Amino acid sequence: MNRFISVLLGGLIAGGHVLPAFAEQPLPPKPQLIIILDDIGNNQTLGLRAVNLPAPVTLAFLPFTPFAARLAERANQNGHGIMLHAPMANESGAKLGPGALTPDMDRIHLQQTLSDSLEAIPHVQGVNNHMGSLLTQQPEAMSWVMEVLAEQDLYFVDSLTSPLSVAAENASEAGIPTISRDVFLDNERTEESLNKQFNHALSVAKRRGHAVLIGHPYPETLSYLEQRLPTVELEGVELQRADDYLLRQQWRTPTPELPLVSRYQLLLEPQ
Protein backbone atom coordinates (compact mmCIF):
# COMPACT_ATOMS: atom_id res chain seq x y z
CA MET A 1 0.00 0.00 0.00
CA ASN A 2 2.95 2.35 -0.58
CA ARG A 3 2.06 3.63 -4.03
CA PHE A 4 0.90 6.95 -2.62
CA ILE A 5 3.58 8.54 -0.41
CA SER A 6 3.65 12.22 0.53
CA VAL A 7 6.62 14.22 -0.69
CA LEU A 8 8.49 15.49 2.35
CA LEU A 9 10.98 18.31 1.97
CA GLY A 10 13.87 18.33 4.44
CA GLY A 11 15.59 21.27 6.06
CA LEU A 12 17.01 23.84 3.63
CA ILE A 13 20.43 25.28 4.20
CA ALA A 14 20.81 28.97 3.37
CA GLY A 15 23.70 31.16 4.40
CA GLY A 16 24.91 28.54 6.83
CA HIS A 17 21.55 28.42 8.65
CA VAL A 18 19.07 25.56 8.56
CA LEU A 19 15.54 26.67 7.75
CA PRO A 20 12.65 24.71 9.34
CA ALA A 21 11.67 21.56 7.54
CA PHE A 22 8.22 21.55 5.96
CA ALA A 23 5.96 19.21 4.04
CA GLU A 24 4.38 20.03 0.73
CA GLN A 25 0.65 20.33 1.32
CA PRO A 26 -1.43 18.47 -1.27
CA LEU A 27 -4.44 20.09 -2.79
CA PRO A 28 -7.78 18.87 -1.44
CA PRO A 29 -8.84 15.81 -3.45
CA LYS A 30 -11.61 16.08 -5.97
CA PRO A 31 -14.73 14.00 -5.41
CA GLN A 32 -14.12 10.49 -6.73
CA LEU A 33 -16.48 8.48 -8.95
CA ILE A 34 -15.81 4.74 -9.17
CA ILE A 35 -17.61 3.15 -12.13
CA ILE A 36 -17.93 -0.64 -12.21
CA LEU A 37 -19.30 -2.60 -15.16
CA ASP A 38 -20.47 -6.10 -14.20
CA ASP A 39 -21.10 -9.24 -16.26
CA ILE A 40 -18.13 -8.94 -18.63
CA GLY A 41 -17.06 -12.07 -20.50
CA ASN A 42 -20.02 -13.59 -22.35
CA ASN A 43 -20.25 -11.15 -25.26
CA GLN A 44 -17.09 -10.26 -27.17
CA THR A 45 -18.43 -7.26 -29.07
CA LEU A 46 -19.91 -5.53 -26.05
CA GLY A 47 -16.92 -6.56 -23.95
CA LEU A 48 -14.55 -4.86 -26.39
CA ARG A 49 -16.59 -1.68 -26.19
CA ALA A 50 -16.30 -1.83 -22.41
CA VAL A 51 -12.52 -2.30 -22.36
CA ASN A 52 -12.16 0.56 -24.87
CA LEU A 53 -14.07 3.11 -22.78
CA PRO A 54 -12.19 6.44 -22.82
CA ALA A 55 -11.57 6.77 -19.06
CA PRO A 56 -10.54 4.55 -16.14
CA VAL A 57 -13.31 2.20 -15.05
CA THR A 58 -13.35 -1.14 -13.23
CA LEU A 59 -14.56 -4.19 -15.13
CA ALA A 60 -16.01 -7.19 -13.27
CA PHE A 61 -15.54 -10.47 -15.17
CA LEU A 62 -17.72 -13.55 -14.81
CA PRO A 63 -15.48 -16.61 -14.35
CA PHE A 64 -15.12 -19.26 -17.05
CA THR A 65 -17.01 -17.24 -19.65
CA PRO A 66 -15.79 -17.49 -23.27
CA PHE A 67 -14.11 -14.09 -23.56
CA ALA A 68 -13.25 -13.18 -19.96
CA ALA A 69 -9.53 -13.96 -20.03
CA ARG A 70 -8.83 -12.23 -23.36
CA LEU A 71 -10.89 -9.18 -22.43
CA ALA A 72 -9.17 -8.94 -19.04
CA GLU A 73 -5.78 -8.87 -20.78
CA ARG A 74 -7.02 -6.09 -23.04
CA ALA A 75 -8.53 -4.19 -20.11
CA ASN A 76 -5.21 -4.35 -18.28
CA GLN A 77 -3.40 -2.98 -21.32
CA ASN A 78 -5.90 -0.10 -21.50
CA GLY A 79 -5.44 0.85 -17.85
CA HIS A 80 -8.76 -0.35 -16.43
CA GLY A 81 -9.27 -2.09 -13.11
CA ILE A 82 -10.09 -5.80 -13.10
CA MET A 83 -12.34 -7.70 -10.71
CA LEU A 84 -13.81 -11.15 -10.42
CA HIS A 85 -17.61 -10.93 -10.56
CA ALA A 86 -18.17 -13.89 -8.24
CA PRO A 87 -21.55 -15.63 -8.69
CA MET A 88 -23.29 -15.97 -5.31
CA ALA A 89 -26.58 -17.54 -4.36
CA ASN A 90 -29.65 -15.35 -4.62
CA GLU A 91 -33.04 -15.43 -2.93
CA SER A 92 -34.97 -16.04 -6.16
CA GLY A 93 -33.05 -19.19 -7.09
CA ALA A 94 -31.86 -17.78 -10.43
CA LYS A 95 -29.15 -19.79 -12.18
CA LEU A 96 -25.62 -18.68 -11.39
CA GLY A 97 -23.39 -20.41 -13.93
CA PRO A 98 -19.81 -21.66 -13.42
CA GLY A 99 -17.99 -20.65 -10.26
CA ALA A 100 -21.17 -20.37 -8.18
CA LEU A 101 -20.85 -19.97 -4.42
CA THR A 102 -23.85 -21.43 -2.59
CA PRO A 103 -24.98 -21.98 1.02
CA ASP A 104 -24.73 -25.78 0.77
CA MET A 105 -20.94 -25.62 0.25
CA ASP A 106 -18.58 -26.38 3.10
CA ARG A 107 -15.57 -24.18 3.72
CA ILE A 108 -13.13 -26.22 1.63
CA HIS A 109 -15.45 -26.46 -1.38
CA LEU A 110 -16.42 -22.79 -1.31
CA GLN A 111 -12.86 -21.55 -0.96
CA GLN A 112 -11.54 -23.85 -3.68
CA THR A 113 -14.29 -22.73 -6.06
CA LEU A 114 -13.49 -19.08 -5.37
CA SER A 115 -9.76 -19.66 -5.80
CA ASP A 116 -10.32 -21.41 -9.14
CA SER A 117 -12.45 -18.47 -10.34
CA LEU A 118 -9.78 -15.97 -9.32
CA GLU A 119 -7.12 -17.95 -11.16
CA ALA A 120 -9.23 -17.81 -14.33
CA ILE A 121 -9.16 -13.98 -14.51
CA PRO A 122 -5.77 -12.44 -15.45
CA HIS A 123 -4.59 -9.39 -13.48
CA VAL A 124 -7.44 -9.68 -10.97
CA GLN A 125 -7.28 -7.07 -8.21
CA GLY A 126 -10.52 -7.57 -6.30
CA VAL A 127 -13.93 -9.21 -6.14
CA ASN A 128 -17.56 -8.14 -6.15
CA ASN A 129 -20.69 -10.25 -5.93
CA HIS A 130 -22.81 -11.30 -8.91
CA MET A 131 -26.34 -11.58 -7.56
CA GLY A 132 -25.70 -12.76 -4.00
CA SER A 133 -28.82 -11.50 -2.24
CA LEU A 134 -28.86 -14.75 -0.24
CA LEU A 135 -25.19 -15.57 0.32
CA THR A 136 -24.12 -12.04 1.27
CA GLN A 137 -26.47 -12.24 4.27
CA GLN A 138 -24.59 -15.21 5.72
CA PRO A 139 -21.69 -14.24 7.99
CA GLU A 140 -19.95 -17.63 8.00
CA ALA A 141 -19.91 -18.01 4.21
CA MET A 142 -18.76 -14.43 3.75
CA SER A 143 -15.98 -14.90 6.31
CA TRP A 144 -14.75 -17.85 4.21
CA VAL A 145 -14.78 -15.61 1.13
CA MET A 146 -12.78 -12.94 2.93
CA GLU A 147 -10.15 -15.45 4.08
CA VAL A 148 -9.33 -16.18 0.42
CA LEU A 149 -9.23 -12.49 -0.47
CA ALA A 150 -6.95 -11.72 2.48
CA GLU A 151 -4.53 -14.47 1.46
CA GLN A 152 -4.34 -13.04 -2.07
CA ASP A 153 -4.22 -9.37 -1.03
CA LEU A 154 -7.42 -8.47 -2.90
CA TYR A 155 -10.16 -5.94 -2.17
CA PHE A 156 -13.93 -6.44 -2.03
CA VAL A 157 -16.80 -4.36 -3.40
CA ASP A 158 -20.25 -5.10 -1.97
CA SER A 159 -22.74 -4.73 -4.81
CA LEU A 160 -25.48 -4.45 -2.17
CA THR A 161 -28.06 -6.59 -3.91
CA SER A 162 -29.62 -6.97 -0.46
CA PRO A 163 -29.92 -4.27 2.21
CA LEU A 164 -29.22 -7.07 4.73
CA SER A 165 -25.77 -7.82 3.30
CA VAL A 166 -23.00 -8.40 5.84
CA ALA A 167 -20.29 -8.69 3.16
CA ALA A 168 -18.69 -5.28 3.64
CA GLU A 169 -18.74 -5.71 7.41
CA ASN A 170 -17.01 -9.08 7.09
CA ALA A 171 -14.42 -7.58 4.75
CA SER A 172 -13.64 -4.77 7.18
CA GLU A 173 -13.32 -7.22 10.08
CA ALA A 174 -10.85 -9.24 8.00
CA GLY A 175 -8.78 -6.13 7.25
CA ILE A 176 -9.67 -6.18 3.55
CA PRO A 177 -10.04 -2.85 1.70
CA THR A 178 -13.73 -2.54 0.91
CA ILE A 179 -16.36 -0.21 -0.47
CA SER A 180 -20.06 -0.57 -1.26
CA ARG A 181 -22.29 0.29 -4.18
CA ASP A 182 -24.19 3.57 -4.01
CA VAL A 183 -26.14 3.73 -7.30
CA PHE A 184 -27.21 1.29 -10.00
CA LEU A 185 -26.88 2.96 -13.39
CA ASP A 186 -28.99 0.93 -15.77
CA ASN A 187 -31.93 -0.85 -14.16
CA GLU A 188 -33.79 1.13 -16.82
CA ARG A 189 -31.94 1.75 -20.07
CA THR A 190 -33.59 4.85 -21.42
CA GLU A 191 -31.34 7.86 -21.91
CA GLU A 192 -33.44 9.79 -19.42
CA SER A 193 -32.99 7.16 -16.71
CA LEU A 194 -29.27 6.66 -17.41
CA ASN A 195 -28.72 10.40 -17.16
CA LYS A 196 -30.74 10.62 -13.94
CA GLN A 197 -28.81 7.81 -12.26
CA PHE A 198 -25.41 9.08 -13.42
CA ASN A 199 -26.18 12.57 -12.14
CA HIS A 200 -27.35 11.06 -8.86
CA ALA A 201 -23.96 9.33 -8.51
CA LEU A 202 -22.17 12.62 -9.19
CA SER A 203 -24.30 14.27 -6.52
CA VAL A 204 -23.39 11.59 -3.97
CA ALA A 205 -19.69 11.93 -4.85
CA LYS A 206 -19.73 15.70 -4.45
CA ARG A 207 -21.58 15.49 -1.15
CA ARG A 208 -19.59 12.66 0.46
CA GLY A 209 -16.31 12.67 -1.47
CA HIS A 210 -16.85 9.44 -3.41
CA ALA A 211 -19.55 7.31 -5.02
CA VAL A 212 -19.67 3.81 -6.50
CA LEU A 213 -21.80 3.47 -9.63
CA ILE A 214 -22.51 -0.02 -11.01
CA GLY A 215 -23.72 -0.71 -14.54
CA HIS A 216 -23.62 -3.45 -17.17
CA PRO A 217 -22.34 -3.84 -20.74
CA TYR A 218 -25.70 -3.12 -22.33
CA PRO A 219 -25.54 -1.33 -25.70
CA GLU A 220 -27.47 1.63 -24.29
CA THR A 221 -25.19 1.88 -21.24
CA LEU A 222 -22.03 1.71 -23.31
CA SER A 223 -23.26 4.35 -25.76
CA TYR A 224 -24.11 6.64 -22.85
CA LEU A 225 -20.73 6.15 -21.15
CA GLU A 226 -18.79 6.61 -24.39
CA GLN A 227 -20.32 10.08 -24.67
CA ARG A 228 -20.42 11.05 -20.99
CA LEU A 229 -17.10 9.90 -19.55
CA PRO A 230 -14.90 12.43 -21.39
CA THR A 231 -16.86 15.28 -19.77
CA VAL A 232 -16.89 14.08 -16.15
CA GLU A 233 -13.76 15.86 -14.98
CA LEU A 234 -15.12 19.12 -16.39
CA GLU A 235 -17.88 18.69 -13.79
CA GLY A 236 -15.38 18.71 -10.93
CA VAL A 237 -15.32 14.94 -10.33
CA GLU A 238 -12.39 12.57 -10.86
CA LEU A 239 -12.93 9.10 -12.32
CA GLN A 240 -11.07 6.49 -10.33
CA ARG A 241 -10.54 2.75 -10.52
CA ALA A 242 -11.70 0.86 -7.46
CA ASP A 243 -8.20 -0.38 -6.61
CA ASP A 244 -6.63 3.08 -6.90
CA TYR A 245 -9.37 4.62 -4.78
CA LEU A 246 -8.92 2.05 -2.03
CA LEU A 247 -5.14 2.42 -2.10
CA ARG A 248 -5.44 6.18 -1.66
CA GLN A 249 -7.80 5.69 1.26
CA GLN A 250 -5.02 4.01 3.21
CA TRP A 251 -3.42 7.46 3.53
CA ARG A 252 -6.53 9.38 4.51
CA THR A 253 -8.69 9.61 7.58
CA PRO A 254 -11.88 7.67 6.85
CA THR A 255 -15.16 9.57 6.75
CA PRO A 256 -18.53 8.14 7.75
CA GLU A 257 -20.59 6.55 5.01
CA LEU A 258 -23.85 8.29 4.18
CA PRO A 259 -26.92 6.06 4.14
CA LEU A 260 -28.36 5.21 0.75
CA VAL A 261 -30.59 8.05 -0.39
CA SER A 262 -33.11 5.54 -1.68
CA ARG A 263 -33.33 1.77 -1.32
CA TYR A 264 -36.04 1.33 -3.93
CA GLN A 265 -33.41 0.55 -6.56
CA LEU A 266 -32.61 -2.65 -4.69
CA LEU A 267 -35.99 -3.97 -5.72
CA LEU A 268 -35.21 -3.35 -9.37
CA GLU A 269 -31.83 -5.05 -9.44
CA PRO A 270 -31.76 -8.65 -10.68
CA GLN A 271 -31.35 -10.92 -7.67
Side-chain angles (χ1 to χ4, degrees):
M1 296 296 181
N2 60 354
R3 292 172 59 188
F4 303 98
I5 302 176
S6 299
V7 178
L8 300 180
L9 301 180
L12 301 178
I13 299 177
H17 300 284
V18 178
L19 301 178
F22 65 94
E24 181 180 294
Q25 296 300 312
L27 294 173
K30 288 183 178 180
Q32 310 284 296
L33 179 62
I34 300 97
I35 298 177
I36 297 170
L37 290 184
D38 287 345
D39 298 347
I40 308 293
N42 275 314
N43 185 298
Q44 184 176 32
T45 300
L46 296 177
L48 284 171
R49 286 181 66 184
V51 303
N52 288 324
L53 283 170
V57 297
T58 302
L59 303 178
F61 292 85
L62 288 165
F64 311 112
T65 47
F67 307 105
R70 278 177 283 173
L71 289 171
E73 290 285 3
R74 181 76 169 267
N76 180 65
Q77 294 169 6
N78 289 355
H80 297 306
I82 298 167
M83 289 198 301
L84 167 68
H85 195 38
M88 297 185 187
N90 55 83
E91 292 180 326
S92 66
K95 292 183 179 180
L96 296 170
L101 306 177
T102 59
D104 60 321
M105 290 179 166
D106 60 21
R107 179 178 181 178
I108 293 175
H109 187 192
L110 184 146
Q111 292 187 333
Q112 186 60 58
T113 299
L114 178 58
S115 296
D116 290 344
S117 295
L118 287 165
E119 189 174 350
I121 307 299
H123 311 290
V124 67
Q125 300 155 320
V127 173
N128 75 338
N129 53 293
H130 171 56
M131 302 191 193
S133 56
L134 177 61
L135 199 74
T136 59
Q137 297 183 44
Q138 302 189 9
E140 184 175 51
M142 295 316 298
S143 71
W144 297 342
V145 168
M146 300 312 163
E147 287 176 5
V148 175
L149 272 57
E151 289 173 359
Q152 300 196 28
D153 196 24
L154 303 173
Y155 65 83
F156 182 79
V157 174
D158 189 349
S159 302
L160 267 183
T161 55
S162 167
L164 302 178
S165 173
V166 298
E169 180 181 352
N170 272 247
S172 294
E173 290 174 353
I176 293 168
T178 188
I179 195 171
S180 297
R181 186 271 311 161
D182 293 296
V183 180
F184 286 124
L185 175 61
D186 49 13
N187 289 323
E188 298 179 15
R189 292 182 244 171
T190 65
E191 184 173 358
E192 179 182 5
S193 180
L194 290 168
N195 203 49
K196 178 181 177 182
Q197 294 301 97
F198 196 96
N199 288 337
H200 177 40
L202 291 181
S203 176
V204 173
K206 290 176 181 179
R207 197 168 63 243
R208 188 181 59 195
H210 77 274
V212 178
L213 176 65
I214 292 183
H216 302 83
Y218 301 136
E220 300 90 342
T221 301
L222 292 168
S223 293
Y224 180 82
L225 292 176
E226 286 162 355
Q227 296 299 315
R228 186 71 187 270
L229 293 186
T231 72
V232 169
E233 295 205 5
L234 299 176
E235 301 178 66
V237 173
E238 181 180 3
L239 290 167
Q240 192 70 257
R241 292 173 10 177
D243 62 312
D244 284 341
Y245 173 79
L246 289 166
L247 283 170
R248 290 187 181 189
Q249 293 310 105
Q250 306 306 309
W251 298 93
R252 294 179 185 157
T253 302
T255 55
E257 294 280 329
L258 291 180
L260 289 175
V261 176
S262 171
R263 294 190 181 275
Y264 83 95
Q265 289 285 4
L266 292 171
L267 303 176
L268 302 177
E269 175 69 4
Q271 298 296 303

